[in-house]
């Protein structure tokens, strides 16, 4: 009997360490934090359901060799965000502040040819986000330059302080001589 219980416990432990595999077109999948989801999609998308237990910032992203995208919906299926390529990579990355007790839906897909099926990994983690921002120092000169083809504002000297969700304050300053 002890041997059977040990085998069952070892099997459960090994299964929990393996990535969860999802195939597009099925039912909604409950998305858990810090779990690797192996996703196989063609022209269809995969739908994940996520209900955070705490208010906070959450990051959803993929890793792999294909071009992925995602739509984030609230519990009424109203789109609240869209993510595509991030930082020069064709994988999507989406950060959003979510509230406990509400259910959100993440629709994940890939840009593929008609008959192509691709595999990538999906992750969900807690992250740090911007809670507040204020101008701590205005620009040195607020001259607006109006041209025939464009308008620009010189922002040299501008400083903005961001308060992050972990309490850290970050100072951003624009000190380059260029206009934006």
């Amino acid at each position: 009997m002890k041997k059977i219980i040990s085998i069952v416990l070892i099997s459960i432990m090994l299964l929990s360490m393996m990535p969860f595999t999802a195939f597009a077109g099925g039912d909604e999948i409950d998305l858990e934090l810090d779990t690797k989801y192996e996703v196989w999609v063609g022209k269809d998308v995969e739908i994940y359901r996520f209900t955070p237990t705490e208010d906070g910032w959450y990051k959803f992203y993929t890793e792999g060799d294909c071009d992925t995208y995602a739509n984030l919906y609230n519990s009424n299926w109203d789109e609240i965000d869209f993510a595509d390529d991030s930082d020069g990579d064709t994988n999507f990355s989406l950060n959003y502040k979510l509230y406990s007790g509400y259910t959100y839906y993440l629709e994940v897909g890939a840009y593929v040819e008609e008959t192509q099926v691709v595999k990538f990994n999906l992750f969900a983690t807690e992250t740090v986000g911007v809670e507040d921002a204020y101008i701590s120092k205005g620009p040195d000169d607020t001259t607006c330059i109006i041209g025939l083809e464009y308008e620009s504002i010189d922002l040299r000297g501008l400083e903005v302080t961001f308060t992050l969700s972990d309490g850290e304050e970050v100072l951003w300053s624009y000190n380059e001589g260029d206009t934006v």
Side-chain angles (χ1 to χ4, degrees):
M1 185 65 165
K2 287 182 180 179
K3 188 173 186 176
I4 292 173
I5 292 173
S6 295
I7 291 172
V8 169
L9 289 174
I10 290 171
S11 298
I12 291 171
M13 286 174 36
L14 288 173
L15 285 173
S16 69
M17 294 184 334
M18 296 180 67
F20 178 87
T21 301
F23 296 96
D27 295 329
E28 296 163 0
I29 299 165
D30 287 321
L31 188 59
E32 300 291 328
L33 292 176
D34 304 317
T35 300
K36 177 181 176 181
Y37 291 83
E38 188 175 86
V39 183
W40 291 84
V41 296
K43 280 302 216 182
D44 294 327
V45 295
E46 192 63 69
I47 306 292
Y48 293 87
R49 179 178 40 238
F50 180 65
T51 306
T53 57
E54 297 179 17
D55 293 357
W57 286 86
Y58 294 89
K59 178 179 181 179
F60 306 96
Y61 64 100
T62 57
E63 292 178 351
D65 296 327
C66 54
D67 191 355
T68 60
Y69 65 88
N71 290 293
L72 182 63
Y73 300 93
N74 64 17
S75 58
N76 295 323
W77 281 92
D78 298 319
E79 183 179 7
I80 56 177
D81 205 356
F82 171 79
D84 199 347
D85 302 345
S86 64
D87 296 326
D89 187 4
T90 58
N91 286 279
F92 83 83
S93 179
L94 187 150
N95 296 334
Y96 209 86
K97 185 171 184 174
L98 304 177
Y99 299 92
S100 67
Y102 292 94
T103 299
Y104 299 88
Y105 298 93
L106 185 68
E107 178 184 68
V108 178
Y111 298 106
V112 296
E113 300 296 323
E114 191 64 38
T115 58
Q116 187 180 11
V117 175
V118 295
K119 177 190 136 235
F120 53 88
N121 296 314
L122 171 68
F123 301 90
T125 62
E126 291 182 78
T127 191
V128 175
V130 175
E131 291 291 329
D132 193 21
Y134 63 92
I135 296 174
S136 33
K137 180 180 176 291
D140 296 335
D141 183 11
T142 57
T143 303
C144 181
I145 304 166
I146 301 174
L148 296 175
E149 297 179 22
Y150 64 91
E151 296 179 18
S152 62
I153 300 174
D154 185 347
L155 297 176
R156 281 177 291 177
L158 174 66
E159 292 182 356
V160 179
T161 300
F162 296 94
T163 305
L164 305 180
S165 56
D166 64 359
E168 181 182 358
E169 286 195 349
V170 177
L171 177 66
W172 175 88
S173 61
Y174 186 84
N175 291 316
E176 301 155 26
D178 301 324
T179 57
V180 294

